[in-house]
Every structure is written in C-alpha cells, then in structure tokens.
Amino acid sequence: MSWAGKILRVNLTAGTVKSEPLNMDWAHDYIGSRGLGTKYLVEEVAATVDPLSADNKIIWATGPLTGTMASTGGRYTVITKGPLTGAIACSNSGGYWGAEFKMAGWDMIIFEGKSAKPVYLYVNDDVAELRDASHLWGKSVWETEATLKSSLQDPLTRVSSIGKAGENGVLFAAVVNDLHRAAGRSGVGAVMGSKNLKAIAVRGTKGVGNIRDPKAFMAAVKAGKKVLADNGVTGTGLPAMGTQVLMSVINEVGALPTRNHRDNQFEGAKDIGAEAMATPRKTDGKKHLVTNQACFGCTIACGRISKMDETHFTIENKPQYRGANGGLEYEAAWALGAANGVNDLEALQYANLLCNEEGIDPISFGATVGAVMELYEMGVLTKEQIGIDAKFGSAKTLAFLAEETIYGRGFGKEIGQGSKRLTAKYGHPELSMSSKGQEFPAYDGRAIQGIGLAYATSNRGGCHLRGYTIASEVLGIPVKTDPLEHEGKPDLVKAFQDATAAFDSSGLCIFTTFAWGLQDLSPQMQGACNEDYTIEELAKIGERIWNMEREFNNRAGFTHKDDSLPARLTSAEGACKTGPAKGKFNMLADMLPKYYAARGWDNEGRPTAATKERLGL
Amino acid sequence: MQKMLHINADKCTGCMQCEMACAFENYGTFATAKSRIKVFDFHHTGKKVPYTCTQCDEAWCLHACPVEAITVDKATGAKVVNESTCVGCKVCTIACPFGTINYVQETGKVQKCDLCEGSPACAEACPTGAITFIDANWTGLGKMAQWADKLGNQPSAS
C-alpha cells in the first residue's frame, strides 16, 4: 500500500530512538507528508506551545508516493509550529533525501524534546541512532554534508541539515538537503537548531514496495508522465528556463512587487530573469546558467545549476563559490532582486548561495532587507546602525547584509528576526509586507486579487504555494480568470487550497499541477494506496487538512483579524502605480466574508460544527 | 541487430528514474540501492552522468569467474550472471576495471546490467533521452551528425 507502515520517534531529551507502527487510520484520512505529519503534530502538541521550546515537536514526513516511479515522487515535508509566525509551519522540499529515507523503510520521524548536546540522527534501514554532532556544530550545510559522507565512508548518504543560521535561531532559518534544496519557510530550521539537532543522515537499501496494484499504478504513472511531457509549462518552459521564466511574465502583468511593494513593476526585471541567465555575459562571454537539474523521480527538471562570473566583486577573494552550484529560482531572484531594487544578477546568485550554504529562506530574508532599505531611505535607520548605506538598488548592500544575516553579526541579527519584528521595533510595523508574520512572495496582491486573498488566508502566513491561484489568474491553468477581478476569487482560492493540500500530502511536487489536476493524481494514488482515493475523496481530504491546520492556528490564538494584508495592499494610497493594474489594490474586505462562507466557517473564521462533522474533524 | 545502451550525459537531469526502473525490473521494488545503473552527480560542474556495464566483448568478469557463472546472451550480446552457478567469490568485482559488476549482500551473488533481455528498463524510463538503446555499431552517429552539421551547413558567401 505504498506506505512503509513505520515511523521513528526520537526523544532528544532522553536520547532514545524508537520504532512505532504508522497510524493507518490517520494515513487513510490524511494521506501522508503535509496532511499526515500535521495530524500527528496537532494531536501531540499544544497549539499554544513556544515554538523554540523543548515542548514543540518537529516532524519529517514523506508521502506514500515518495520513492516511487511516479513523476516527482521524491518530496518530504518538515512540520512544526513556526517561530517566525506562531502558526502551523509546513515546509516542503525535494532533492533526494525524502526518497532515500522512504527507501530505508520509514514514513516519518517525530523529534521531541531537546538534546543536551548537539546530535545528528543516523538512519541506515533498520538502524536508527543519535550520534554526537559536536564536530558538526558550527559547520555550514555544505561542510556538514561533506563531513558526514566522508566520515561515514558512504557517498550515497543523503543529508538534511541546518547551517549556522538554524543553530543561531534566525527566525527564517531553513532545513537544507542535497546542498541546494530546502524546507525553506517559517523558520523550521530554527526549531531544529533549538533542539540541538544538526542533521539527519540517511541511507536506505530496502526500497519502496507494497504497491497495491503495480500494473494499474505503473499505467497511471506512465499516463501522468505523458501529460507532463506534453504540457508547455512542465514539458518545455520549466526544464529550459526554470521558474525564472516567470520574472518577465509577472512583470508584464504588473504584479512584480518592487522596493518593498512601493512599486509593482521593476525596471530591472529583464536583468534578473530566465533570459538574463541564458545570455552570455559581457565580462567573460559565458552564460550564467550551466544546465538544469531534477529532484528524485522528477521528469520536469526545473532546477537550475549556475556558475558565477569569477571577476564579480562578491567572489573576488572567494574561490569556494566559483564552481557550478544551485542557481536562482524565481522566488529567490525576486526577493533578493526586485524586492530591493537590485538588478545585479551575479550579486543575487551570491546571496542565493549564502542562503543555501547556511540555510535561510531567501524570500523572508530578501523581503526583510526591502523593509530595511525603506526604513533607511526614510531616515529611520542609519548607516551606523545597519553597518552600511542601504539605499534601494545597492548590490553591495545586499551582499553585505546576506553575510551579516547568515553569520548573525551586527545588524544581521536584527534582520534575522524577520520584517514583522524589525519594522515594529523601529516604529513602522506597516512596512512589513507580510501576513501572520511571514513575508509575501513574488506576486503582487494588489494586481492579482486571488493571490492576495490566498496570502491573507494561508495557514502558514504569506505564501503562494498554499493556493497558487496564479496558475489560473495569470497562466490560464486550468481555466483563465481575470487577475484584476475579485468576484469569484473566494471559491477559486478555496479550490486551489484544497487540491494543493492533497497534492502536498502525496509525496509529489506541487509543480505537477501546472499540468495535472486531481484527475491525474487520483489514479496514481488508487494504484499505489487505496481505491478510495477518488477525485472527490482527495478534494475532501484536502479540505479536511486545511480545516485541521486552521483549527490549530485558532487554538494558537489567531483570529479573523490575522487574515489580513498590510494597508499598502488594501488602500487607494498604496495602489499600483503602473501597468495593467494601475490604480488597483486588494479587495480583501469584500472577499474575506465570502471566503469564510465558501469554507463553511462562521464570520470570525472558525469552522462550524456542521463543517467539522462533514469533514470528520 | 545487436543494440547497446548509449549515454548522452548532456541530457541527464539526475532524476533517477533509470535507477528505480532497473530495481523494479529486477527486484519488484523501487530501490535505487539495488540498481545496476548508477547516476553520478558532479557538483562542481553540474553534470549528471549515468553509468553501467558496457558489455565488453572480452569481458574481464567472464574470464575471471572460476565457475563460469557469467555467459553471453547470443541475442543481445549481454554478459549475464547465472545466479544459481555464482558462488559470490567477488573476484569479478575486482577484475572489472569499470566497477560495473557488484556484490549483492542480500542474495550473496553478484549482479550486473544484462540489458533486460533486450528491452532495457532504464532506457524506457529515461524522460530526456539521456539513455537510449541503439544499434551497437553506430553509437557515434549522434556526435558524427553534430560535426557533419558544422561542416556541411556553413553559411555561404553568395
């Protein structure tokens, strides 16, 4: 049935590692990965817990399709209560770690408590033990992986770890695996660090089997792969240009937030997108982009591998950054670039490398720098405080602040608190472009009505991945809706959020939804797991997961007031200045009550008894 | 016509579908640890390269075997391990200069690519054409074509 049927429970306080049978009722009702890991978390952890305390738990969860031949079958999710937001934190990652862990014969690991000393978890099939990590503490993500592989004398080991940022409690610290893939948002890395847990090194030889109906499964997998191959986005655009293909598209739609959302189009967009990465540089005649990269099982291969200009000022005396390395995604390029008005592609890649090397979320980091630059230009922050002049557009400032933040030096310590706390400290909370404390990603909620609503209602704070209505509002997938129109968006957002939760729980990558709908996921899930997983059932499970997350947040103290957007996004004063959305702002006040109604919630955003009963909550 | 596996590493994305397909074909589970083809990810250059047995005509493994457990499949040209004859001495793993025959501790025998009796699962699974199964006499055809293109399709002056 595609689940391994076993989970690891690690008590870091006691130093024990135990095997436990997977709760198969919960597996049936919540599938895996996001849904199942969250179910365990909400059952075992009080929603009022302090995220960085020993009472919080942190879970690595694969899905039933992780480690199978289903396309993109390599993903895992890190679930905890997020220190950046105080809400449910659920960060998905690709690479190879998830599949290796599943192939070792496990579905999930639950970490409880706090270790007295730095440790790492070593998993090799049935062997799972905590080992001393004092020699690893203080190492970067990259050094940690290299050290583990060499000391274990096993190059096939996969490593999921934090860098110095997670150790030092940067509130948007990430968990990084396979050098440049990450469970990036909400500070899951800080929770890992707070438990003195440095890494999970895994080697799995058992493989994934137990497929319910192998013939039906492989036929469905083959059909799904064909749909991906034939689709313009997943079959051509993403492998060739990566997510960076979106930079010019979103800019032309007038939805590229620029300079802390002061503007909604960036004059430098052409310098930092896919086209720029593929154009030979004037300095050395070489292209920034070297090749693409897939994650485990992925037939899309949207990943970027890039090589920096060796003469660029950021790496003049740093040969360690000169080889091929994980390249810019759209989100990182936007957050490091447009959000700060920086159009120096090489500088963006340098900052991107630092984010991977020491494990921080480039979205929250970049957006926080944008707030800092605005405070500097207003005269609220000074050069003396920040350590450097911080005008919008300065590549030098971006590079400097990236270094300060990953190493926790000087003003970098303040940036590491995220924009909500930083702007509040300096008397301008309205300048944090965030919801529930998590910074918005690369789509302007004033120019695209649905995504603005999605940001405000996302269970993990400002996020595009919880309900990527961009697919419909900009790309016409599955049908085109008008980004400037707010009517009908509450239903659209709900539909995306529910379907996404199902995809996120399967072990597959959300990027398949550029081409697939639940009708493509269902036969693969039925073949591998359970005939029950019809389209309707998957949508219902997604809705169940969404409501479960919402209830956790409500218990944690969130109210309907937190389903909010900053005034800059909802007022005429903050309206878009240029482009197709000129004069527009987000109509949240109109959409939100309709969204609550569509969700079956009361007018304070709480699931009603009828809704809970229908969903089995 | 005898065919052989052809690797075009420029097209490999590191997706590992080939490794899973090989394991699924031979063991019925998705287990990259059991695959006879392995993908190597060279981080410093960004290149991913699948590698497996190239079915030597005068095979070190075949000649080294003390019990003649490795024989030639006449139809495919593959050098095949007969598991019931194999004693797991592993001398073949030492003899092979390329490292493409390896021990399987779970069975006590060795394994190597046997071209799946003429329908290699890895080539079938590869989404990009990095692994193809082509006429064994013409594995250079693709590269020849590239250079012929440069030679023959020069822009003319007139």
Side-chain angles (χ1 to χ4, degrees), chain B:
Chain B
M1 172 173 65
Q2 198 174 100
K3 292 186 180 181
M4 65 180 279
L5 289 175
H6 178 65
I7 309 290
N8 182 346
D10 286 342
K11 293 186 177 176
C12 179
T13 60
C15 77
M16 312 281 267
Q17 286 276 345
C18 56
E19 293 202 18
M20 280 195 282
C22 178
F24 190 62
E25 174 71 22
N26 290 298
Y27 297 93
T29 43
F30 304 118
T32 55
K34 295 185 161 78
S35 175
R36 295 138 183 214
I37 185 166
K38 298 302 289 180
V39 180
F40 295 89
D41 194 335
F42 297 105
H43 294 130
H44 207 63
T45 59
K47 240 338 189 277
K48 282 74 69 181
V49 188
Y51 201 77
T52 190
C53 170
T54 53
Q55 314 298 349
C56 304
D57 187 65
E58 290 191 40
W60 283 264
C61 61
L62 191 153
H63 287 293
C65 180
V67 297
E68 295 180 351
I70 299 176
T71 56
V72 182
D73 178 331
K74 288 204 174 71
T76 62
K79 312 303 174 289
V80 181
V81 176
N82 183 329
E83 290 203 3
S84 50
T85 313
C86 174
V87 298
C89 70
K90 312 179 204 65
V91 174
C92 57
T93 69
I94 302 166
C96 173
F98 309 104
T100 53
I101 186 165
N102 282 285
Y103 187 59
V104 182
Q105 58 191 269
E106 292 81 359
T107 59
K109 314 292 181 187
V110 295
Q111 68 166 2
K112 66 180 291 298
C113 171
D114 60 11
L115 295 179
C116 299
E117 294 179 3
S119 295
C122 55
E124 168 77 22
C126 178
T128 62
I131 304 172
T132 48
F133 191 52
I134 59 174
D135 184 347
N137 286 5
W138 287 109
T139 53
L141 213 51
K143 284 191 248 182
M144 281 174 76
Q146 282 182 310
W147 288 95
D149 182 16
K150 283 192 222 278
L151 177 71
N153 291 320
Q154 302 281 346
S156 77
S158 54

Side-chain angles (χ1 to χ4, degrees), chain A residues 140-159:
Chain A
S140 74
V141 163
W142 300 345
E143 285 167 337
T144 299
E145 175 166 317
T147 305
L148 281 167
K149 283 181 166 176
S150 101
S151 65
L152 294 167
Q153 294 190 329
D154 192 351
L156 297 176
T157 308
R158 299 291 183 183
V159 178

